[in-house]
Coordinates of all heavy atoms in Angstrom, one line a residue:
Chain A
Y107 N 52.9 -13.7 13.3 CA 53.4 -14.9 12.6 C 54.0 -15.8 13.6 O 53.7 -17.0 13.6 CB 54.6 -14.5 11.7 CG 54.1 -13.8 10.4 CD1 52.9 -13.3 10.2 CD2 55.1 -13.7 9.3 CE1 52.5 -12.7 9.0 CE2 54.7 -13.1 8.1 CZ 53.4 -12.6 8.0 OH 53.1 -12.0 6.8
S108 N 54.8 -15.3 14.6 CA 55.4 -16.1 15.6 C 54.4 -16.7 16.5 O 54.5 -17.9 16.9 CB 56.4 -15.3 16.4 OG 57.2 -14.6 15.6
A109 N 53.4 -15.9 16.9 CA 52.4 -16.5 17.8 C 51.6 -17.6 17.2 O 51.2 -18.6 17.8 CB 51.5 -15.3 18.3
I110 N 51.2 -17.4 15.9 CA 50.5 -18.4 15.2 C 51.3 -19.7 15.1 O 50.8 -20.8 15.2 CB 50.0 -17.9 13.8 CG1 48.9 -16.9 14.0 CG2 49.6 -19.1 12.9 CD1 48.7 -16.1 12.8
R111 N 52.6 -19.6 15.0 CA 53.5 -20.7 14.9 C 53.9 -21.3 16.3 O 54.8 -22.1 16.4 CB 54.8 -20.4 14.1 CG 54.4 -20.2 12.6 CD 55.5 -19.5 11.9 NE 55.0 -19.1 10.5 CZ 55.7 -18.4 9.7 NH1 56.9 -17.9 10.0 NH2 55.2 -18.1 8.5
E112 N 53.3 -20.6 17.3 CA 53.5 -21.1 18.7 C 54.9 -21.1 19.1 O 55.4 -22.1 19.7 CB 52.8 -22.4 19.0 CG 51.3 -22.4 18.7 CD 50.6 -23.5 19.4 OE1 51.2 -24.4 19.9 OE2 49.4 -23.4 19.4
R113 N 55.6 -20.1 18.8 CA 57.1 -20.0 19.2 C 57.2 -19.4 20.6 O 56.4 -18.6 21.0 CB 57.8 -19.2 18.1 CG 57.5 -19.7 16.8 CD 58.3 -19.1 15.7 NE 59.7 -19.4 15.9 CZ 60.6 -19.1 14.9 NH1 60.1 -18.7 13.8 NH2 61.8 -19.4 15.1
S114 N 58.3 -19.8 21.2 CA 58.5 -19.3 22.6 C 59.1 -17.9 22.5 O 59.7 -17.6 21.5 CB 59.4 -20.3 23.3 OG 60.7 -20.3 22.7
P115 N 59.0 -17.2 23.6 CA 59.6 -15.8 23.6 C 61.1 -15.8 23.3 O 61.6 -15.0 22.5 CB 59.4 -15.3 25.0 CG 58.3 -16.1 25.6 CD 58.3 -17.4 24.9
E116 N 61.8 -16.9 23.7 CA 63.3 -16.9 23.5 C 63.5 -17.1 22.0 O 64.4 -16.4 21.4 CB 64.0 -18.1 24.2 CG 63.9 -18.1 25.7 CD 62.6 -18.7 26.2 OE1 62.0 -19.5 25.4 OE2 62.1 -18.4 27.3
D117 N 62.8 -18.0 21.3 CA 62.9 -18.2 19.9 C 62.6 -16.9 19.1 O 63.2 -16.6 18.1 CB 62.0 -19.3 19.4 CG 62.4 -20.7 20.0 OD1 63.6 -20.8 20.4 OD2 61.6 -21.6 20.0
I118 N 61.5 -16.3 19.5 CA 61.1 -15.1 18.8 C 62.2 -14.0 18.9 O 62.5 -13.4 17.8 CB 59.8 -14.5 19.4 CG1 58.6 -15.4 19.2 CG2 59.5 -13.1 18.9 CD1 57.4 -15.1 19.9
A119 N 62.8 -13.8 20.1 CA 63.8 -12.8 20.2 C 65.0 -13.1 19.3 O 65.6 -12.2 18.8 CB 64.3 -12.8 21.7
K120 N 65.3 -14.4 19.1 CA 66.5 -14.8 18.3 C 66.2 -14.8 16.8 O 67.1 -14.5 16.0 CB 67.0 -16.2 18.7 CG 67.7 -16.3 20.1 CD 68.1 -17.7 20.3 CE 68.0 -18.0 21.8 NZ 67.8 -19.4 22.1
S121 N 65.0 -15.1 16.5 CA 64.7 -15.4 15.1 C 64.7 -14.2 14.2 O 64.2 -13.1 14.6 CB 63.3 -16.1 15.0 OG 63.0 -16.3 13.6
Q122 N 65.1 -14.3 13.0 CA 65.1 -13.3 12.0 C 64.2 -13.6 10.9 O 63.8 -12.7 10.1 CB 66.5 -13.1 11.4 CG 67.6 -12.7 12.3 CD 67.7 -11.2 12.5 OE1 67.2 -10.5 11.6 NE2 68.3 -10.7 13.5
S123 N 63.7 -14.9 10.8 CA 63.0 -15.3 9.6 C 61.7 -14.6 9.4 O 61.4 -14.2 8.3 CB 62.8 -16.8 9.7 OG 62.0 -17.1 10.8
E124 N 60.9 -14.4 10.5 CA 59.6 -13.7 10.4 C 59.8 -12.2 9.9 O 59.1 -11.7 9.1 CB 58.8 -13.7 11.7 CG 58.1 -15.0 11.9 CD 58.9 -16.1 12.6 OE1 60.0 -15.8 13.0 OE2 58.4 -17.2 12.7
V125 N 60.9 -11.6 10.5 CA 61.2 -10.2 10.1 C 61.5 -10.2 8.6 O 61.0 -9.3 7.9 CB 62.3 -9.6 10.9 CG1 62.7 -8.2 10.5 CG2 62.0 -9.7 12.4
S126 N 62.3 -11.1 8.1 CA 62.7 -11.1 6.7 C 61.4 -11.3 5.9 O 61.3 -10.7 4.8 CB 63.7 -12.2 6.4 OG 64.7 -12.2 7.3
E127 N 60.6 -12.2 6.3 CA 59.3 -12.5 5.6 C 58.5 -11.2 5.4 O 58.1 -10.9 4.3 CB 58.5 -13.5 6.4 CG 58.0 -14.7 5.6 CD 57.4 -15.7 6.5 OE1 58.0 -16.1 7.6 OE2 56.2 -16.2 6.2
V128 N 58.3 -10.5 6.5 CA 57.4 -9.3 6.4 C 58.1 -8.2 5.6 O 57.5 -7.6 4.7 CB 57.2 -8.8 7.9 CG1 56.4 -7.5 7.8 CG2 56.3 -9.8 8.6
M129 N 59.4 -8.0 5.8 CA 60.1 -7.0 5.0 C 60.1 -7.4 3.5 O 60.0 -6.5 2.7 CB 61.5 -6.8 5.5 CG 61.6 -6.3 7.0 SD 60.7 -4.8 7.3 CE 61.6 -3.6 6.4
G130 N 60.2 -8.7 3.2 CA 60.2 -9.1 1.8 C 58.9 -8.8 1.2 O 58.8 -8.3 0.0
L131 N 57.8 -9.0 1.9 CA 56.5 -8.6 1.4 C 56.3 -7.1 1.1 O 55.8 -6.7 0.1 CB 55.4 -9.1 2.4 CG 55.0 -10.6 2.4 CD1 54.1 -10.8 3.6 CD2 54.3 -11.0 1.1
L132 N 56.9 -6.4 2.1 CA 56.7 -4.9 1.9 C 57.6 -4.4 0.7 O 57.2 -3.5 0.0 CB 57.2 -4.2 3.2 CG 56.3 -4.2 4.4 CD1 56.9 -3.5 5.6 CD2 54.9 -3.5 4.0
S133 N 58.7 -5.1 0.5 CA 59.5 -4.6 -0.6 C 58.9 -4.9 -2.0 O 59.2 -4.3 -3.0 CB 60.9 -5.2 -0.5 OG 60.9 -6.5 -0.3
T134 N 58.0 -5.9 -2.0 CA 57.3 -6.2 -3.3 C 56.3 -5.1 -3.7 O 55.9 -5.0 -4.9 CB 56.4 -7.5 -3.2 OG1 55.5 -7.3 -2.2 CG2 57.3 -8.7 -2.9
T135 N 56.0 -4.2 -2.8 CA 55.0 -3.1 -3.1 C 55.7 -1.9 -3.8 O 55.0 -1.0 -4.2 CB 54.4 -2.6 -1.8 OG1 55.4 -2.1 -0.9 CG2 53.6 -3.7 -1.1
K136 N 57.0 -1.9 -3.8 CA 57.8 -0.9 -4.5 C 57.5 0.5 -3.9 O 57.5 1.5 -4.5 CB 57.5 -0.8 -6.0 CG 57.5 -2.1 -6.7 CD 58.8 -2.2 -7.6 CE 58.8 -3.3 -8.6 NZ 58.8 -4.6 -7.9
K137 N 57.2 0.5 -2.6 CA 57.0 1.7 -1.9 C 58.0 1.9 -0.8 O 58.4 0.8 -0.2 CB 55.5 1.6 -1.3 CG 55.0 3.0 -0.9 CD 53.5 2.8 -0.4 CE 53.2 4.0 0.4 NZ 51.9 3.9 1.0
S138 N 58.4 3.1 -0.5 CA 59.4 3.2 0.5 C 59.0 4.1 1.7 O 59.7 4.1 2.7 CB 60.7 3.7 -0.1 OG 60.5 5.0 -0.7
E139 N 57.9 4.8 1.6 CA 57.4 5.6 2.7 C 56.1 5.1 3.2 O 55.2 4.9 2.5 CB 57.2 7.1 2.2 CG 58.6 7.8 2.0 CD 58.4 9.3 1.6 OE1 57.3 9.8 2.0 OE2 59.3 9.8 1.1
W140 N 56.1 4.9 4.5 CA 55.0 4.4 5.2 C 54.6 5.3 6.4 O 55.3 5.5 7.3 CB 55.3 3.0 5.7 CG 55.8 2.0 4.7 CD1 57.0 1.8 4.3 CD2 54.9 1.3 3.7 NE1 57.1 0.9 3.3 CE2 55.8 0.6 2.9 CE3 53.6 1.1 3.5 CZ2 55.4 -0.3 1.9 CZ3 53.1 0.3 2.5 CH2 54.0 -0.4 1.7
G141 N 53.3 5.8 6.3 CA 52.9 6.8 7.3 C 52.0 6.2 8.4 O 52.2 6.4 9.5
S142 N 51.0 5.4 8.0 CA 50.0 4.9 9.0 C 50.1 3.4 9.1 O 50.4 2.7 8.1 CB 48.6 5.4 8.6 OG 48.2 4.6 7.5
P143 N 49.6 2.9 10.2 CA 49.6 1.4 10.4 C 48.7 0.7 9.4 O 48.9 -0.4 8.9 CB 49.1 1.2 11.8 CG 48.8 2.5 12.4 CD 49.3 3.5 11.5
T144 N 47.6 1.5 9.0 CA 46.6 0.9 8.1 C 47.3 0.6 6.7 O 47.0 -0.4 6.1 CB 45.4 1.9 7.9 OG1 45.1 2.4 9.2 CG2 44.2 1.2 7.3
E145 N 48.1 1.6 6.3 CA 48.8 1.4 5.1 C 49.6 0.1 5.1 O 49.6 -0.6 4.1 CB 49.8 2.6 4.9 CG 49.3 3.7 4.0 CD 50.4 4.8 3.9 OE1 51.3 4.6 3.0 OE2 50.4 5.8 4.6
I146 N 50.4 -0.1 6.2 CA 51.2 -1.3 6.3 C 50.3 -2.5 6.3 O 50.6 -3.5 5.5 CB 52.0 -1.2 7.6 CG1 53.0 -0.1 7.6 CG2 52.6 -2.6 7.9 CD1 54.3 -0.4 6.9
E147 N 49.2 -2.5 7.1 CA 48.4 -3.7 7.2 C 47.8 -4.0 5.8 O 47.8 -5.2 5.4 CB 47.2 -3.4 8.2 CG 47.7 -3.5 9.6 CD 46.7 -2.9 10.6 OE1 45.6 -2.6 10.2 OE2 47.1 -2.7 11.7
N148 N 47.3 -3.0 5.1 CA 46.7 -3.2 3.8 C 47.7 -3.7 2.8 O 47.4 -4.7 2.0 CB 46.0 -2.0 3.2 CG 44.8 -1.6 4.0 OD1 44.2 -2.4 4.7 ND2 44.3 -0.4 3.9
A149 N 48.9 -3.1 2.8 CA 49.9 -3.5 1.9 C 50.3 -5.0 2.1 O 50.5 -5.8 1.1 CB 51.1 -2.6 2.0
L150 N 50.5 -5.4 3.4 CA 50.9 -6.7 3.7 C 49.8 -7.7 3.2 O 50.1 -8.8 2.6 CB 51.2 -6.9 5.2 CG 52.5 -6.2 5.7 CD1 52.5 -6.2 7.2 CD2 53.7 -7.0 5.1

Side-chain angles (χ1 to χ4, degrees):
Chain A
Y107 284 14
S108 310
I110 286 164
R111 291 165 189 173
E112 300 202 347
R113 309 187 62 167
S114 67
E116 300 86 23
D117 292 343
I118 292 172
K120 284 180 215 154
S121 174
Q122 295 274 340
S123 60
E124 278 88 5
V125 178
S126 311
E127 227 173 312
V128 174
M129 294 307 289
L131 282 170
L132 283 178
S133 46
T134 61
T135 60
K136 310 253 188 299
K137 196 178 163 186
S138 59
E139 283 189 21
W140 305 94
S142 72
T144 321
E145 262 182 81
I146 294 279
E147 284 163 13
N148 290 342
L150 287 170

